[in-house]
Amino acid sequence: MSEVRLTVEPRTEFGKGAARRTRRAGKVPAVLYGHGADPKHLSLPAVEFARAIRENGHNAVLTLEVAGSNSELALTKTITTHPIKNYIEHVDLLLVQRGEKVTVNVPVVLSGDAGPGTLVTHEVTEISVEAEALHIPEQFEISIEGAEVGTQITASEIVLPRGVLLQADEDLLIVNVTEAPSEAEMAPELAEEEAAEGEAESTEAASEEG
């Protein structure tokens, strides 16, 4: 995973009003903590930070450049977004050092198509691993090409790069391949859905007439 350089500014104002002013200025309020140091309150450039996360994932390692200070490495730990407008409200950053190992959650993606007549359930979409801060895998890929009914893939079967250690339970079920339900088996569920939709429409019509 590549490093991302961001020019950041120290924050001297706090509270909801100050946070709103920071966001209106095109920046994101953030706190950098770790290694026993006092937390540092920073403002991140909103557009550049969002691009870094979009292109490198939530485990992006940032090189923070603060005017008048030495640059510092930080791992994105928590991103708080607005529940409705979906903009980034606040970020928590963890101070890291080169060579240091950290525990992070890495996405698991599936590739290929399972065999005919199967239903693939992606039980877990990310797993916990320990990795060197500057060598965190972006994702783990699992092939389900031609997988047959009864296939189960656990965390222990994921091929990890050298130096990366699994922190999740080895028996954690990642993928489960079962037999796809037949049309006859799906019929009762579809009938229930149609009945529920019909009842909702009747209720709405009666409400409008009233």
Side-chain angles (χ1 to χ4, degrees):
M1 180 174 294
S2 59
E3 291 180 52
V4 178
R5 291 186 173 273
L6 292 180
T7 300
V8 303
E9 300 174 357
R11 280 191 300 131
T12 56
E13 293 185 319
F14 310 104
K16 292 183 178 179
R20 283 195 293 268
R21 287 192 292 274
T22 298
R23 288 191 288 268
R24 282 199 296 268
K27 303 180 186 300
V28 178
V31 176
L32 173 66
Y33 61 93
H35 290 284
D38 292 334
K40 294 182 179 180
H41 298 268
L42 306 170
S43 295
L44 311 179
V47 174
E48 290 85 347
F49 176 75
R51 182 186 302 118
I53 297 304
R54 184 172 61 252
E55 295 178 354
N56 298 275
H58 281 210
N59 291 325
V61 176
L62 310 174
T63 299
L64 305 179
E65 298 181 338
V66 186
S69 301
N70 294 328
S71 63
E72 296 182 294
L73 291 178
L75 178 68
T76 307
K77 291 299 292 182
T78 306
I79 299 176
T80 303
T81 58
H82 191 281
I84 299 175
K85 298 181 180 180
N86 204 36
Y87 63 81
I88 299 176
E89 291 188 305
H90 187 271
V91 177
D92 286 330
L93 303 169
L94 178 64
L95 185 65
V96 296
Q97 298 174 346
R98 294 181 185 277
E100 177 181 1
K101 291 197 172 184
V102 294
T103 299
V104 294
N105 289 329
V106 175
V108 178
V109 299
L110 307 183
S111 64
D113 297 311
T118 61
L119 175 65
V120 177
T121 304
H122 195 174
E123 301 283 356
V124 175
T125 58
E126 59 182 24
I127 60 169
S128 176
V129 298
E130 181 187 77
E132 198 271 310
L134 295 184
H135 295 88
I136 299 173
E138 292 188 18
Q139 64 184 28
F140 299 119
E141 183 175 309
I142 295 177
S143 174
I144 57 170
E145 184 65 35
E148 300 178 350
V149 173
T151 298
Q152 292 187 326
I153 301 174
T154 61
S156 64
E157 297 174 71
I158 296 178
V159 179
L160 304 178
R162 178 177 296 181
V164 177
L165 301 177
L166 181 67
Q167 296 299 300
D169 188 331
E170 291 186 353
D171 295 327
L172 180 66
L173 184 61
I174 306 296
V175 177
N176 190 28
V177 182
T178 57
E179 184 176 359
S182 64
E183 292 185 7
E185 292 171 328
M186 291 291 291
E189 295 183 11
L190 293 174
E192 289 180 8
E193 290 179 4
E194 291 175 357
E197 290 176 0
E199 184 177 343
E201 291 175 358
S202 298
T203 302
E204 183 178 348
S207 176
E208 291 177 354
E209 290 176 1

